[in-house]
Amino acid sequence: MAMIRLRSVDKSYGALKVLHGVDAEISEGETFAIIGPNGAGKTTLFKVMTGEVGCEAGTVEFLGKDVTRDPAYRRTRAGMGRTFQVARVFKEMTAEENVVVAIEARLKNAGQSDAPWYSVKPSRAARDEARDLLARLSLDRKAQMHAAELSHGDKKRLELGITLAGRPKVLMLDEPTAGMSPSERVGVTELIRSISGKGSGLTVVMTEHDMGVIFGLADRIMVMNQGRKIAEGSIDDIRADPVVRDVYLGKEAHHA
Amino acid sequence: MNRTLSGLLLIFAGAALVLLPLWANSGLVFLAGTTMVVGVFALSWNLLFGYAGLASFGSGGLFSIGAYTMAVMLRGGFEGQFLLLIALSTLAGGAVALAIGIVALRRSTGIFLAILTLALAELLRITLAKIHWVGAEDGIPNIVRPNFSIGLATVDLGRGNHYYWFLCIACALLVALSWWIAHGRFGRTLRTIRLDIERAAFMGVDTHRYRLVAFTISGAIAACAGALFAPWAQIVTPDIGNMMRSTQPILFTLLGGASSFWGPMIGAFLFSAIEFSTRTLVGIQEIITGSILLGVVLLFPTGVAGAWNALIARLTARPRRDEATSAALQPVKE
């Protein structure tokens, strides 16, 4: 089944047209990467999927339903989770609170809030779930630290925790390794692989600059250039594609 | 330790307020009652600012709506239903806030919301000053302190200090309600919206709806404070909701600290204390008040409550980085 389907999506910022009739179909359980040079429209396409920006033409379907006009929070409730290029966490809250508020939001939206109405504290179950999740992300020792005090890599992990707390069906990762040291990159790649591995059923959509990360994770890759899709396929297809080499990988090779 | 100490302080302050009429003169009692009411009013404003991240500069308008609703109904002879009148005034404020919120909050937050609310409050003040039914410029004088019965008991708030003690109870209940709202799941969710609205939306939170509800609740509490104030002052005029009134909660919050739930209330009492102790210094009172405010803002960016928390933390805790003094008018952290 298609998790996300885009049909001829057009998007402009003022006079600048950034997406030209983009089609895409992302299947359940796969890890789908969107790549392309700077300004190719990756991030805009990503935001069209999440609902942060609208599109002038075309439709976005999520789980078979047309969500083109749904705001981000509705798509989140339907099962879309998102992380940001620069990790966005609630800095004044502790790591545990960050995850707890996300769990509470999920329970509330599902009508499963289990804390009594008069209680000011999060429910025991929500706090236990938060601790388990932090342990999975190797953040259990930092649970009581304020998010502002966490390192860059830990903030990224925590943000992933907030997102996973919503139990998404699709995990949308916007440059998950941006700004990381090589060793942190390896750690995060491993983490994503362990979360989205076969059997988890989790679908992942990611944009990424680092080819190592892409080739290590993606099942399928879509290459964009100047607002258009120029290629789509498996890692091998993309490596072999002469247009892609020209536009994208070729350029990188020149730089290298 | 910090909690116990703060709790003891709170009980002590509460007891001092309740026992005040036993030794203080009526002028001081009136000031204390007024301060309690505007303190609750300031708490309602900070529920919006410190938790939801919305700054209203027109909260005086909602205070005014509550006060006028109460004054008109008491004039109409409904004093026997006083508790119901409070509820109706509160609802009136909530309904107006909801209507404004539906129109204003969709697009305008930040400075636009500040200016819009300021303009609406001024519009209300000018309109009230033109309506003869509510006394135009002169307002509604001689408001009675009601005599009503609950069940078998009769409460005559007109006698002695009864209305003062009624204010103590009513304000305590409103503070408890605000505390509960601020510290529960709803308050936590509001904080996530203030800290990062997009991140909150990507937890599935309907951020617009939450802000609207917070705006409504804040307006309702502000109106309730106004409704309690009308029989206390025994007169309402259009100036009850002027710009000075709208500025009060902002000043109190600045002085007391937006980073703490209690900040605005602490600020209200400090402000009253400063004004009271400088009342005979005609001409330089404003200068002194202004200088103290400036001093606090410069020396303790997190207000008195923030400085207090930092002090307690330093005295009790193991050495730890002091984050409490890092930002100007910095919002809630608990």
Side-chain angles (χ1 to χ4, degrees), chain A residues 50 52 72-73 76-77 82-84 88 90-93 97-98 101-102 104-106 108-109 113 117-122 146 149 159 162-163, chain B residues 3 179-181 183-185 188-189 191-207 210 320-321 323 330-334:
Chain A
T50 59
E52 285 160 278
Y73 77 85
T76 306
R77 286 180 189 183
R82 182 220 212 280
T83 65
F84 292 84
R88 290 167 75 162
F90 304 116
K91 289 186 186 154
E92 288 174 16
M93 296 181 166
E97 281 176 313
N98 266 276
V101 288
E104 283 188 316
R106 184 196 81 223
K108 169 75 173 35
N109 294 334
S113 272
W117 65 270
Y118 51 82
S119 163
V120 292
K121 278 194 178 168
H146 277 106
E149 298 169 7
E159 195 193 28
I162 296 173
T163 308
Chain B
R3 272 216 159 144
W179 189 91
W180 178 72
I181 291 169
H183 290 80
R185 193 189 59 76
R188 270 195 294 282
T189 308
R191 281 173 68 202
T192 66
I193 292 171
R194 175 175 59 71
L195 292 170
D196 190 335
I197 189 163
E198 275 190 309
R199 184 70 262 175
F202 277 104
M203 298 193 309
V205 173
D206 184 347
T207 55
Y210 268 84
R320 191 163 177 275
R321 239 187 314 154
E323 342 123 44
Q330 154 226 15
V332 175
K333 178 191 314 182
E334 269 164 79

Side-chain angles (χ1 to χ4, degrees), chain B residues 169-189:
Chain B
I169 297 168
C171 288
L173 289 175
L174 285 173
V175 169
L177 177 73
S178 306
W179 189 91
W180 178 72
I181 291 169
H183 290 80
R185 193 189 59 76
F186 183 76
R188 270 195 294 282
T189 308

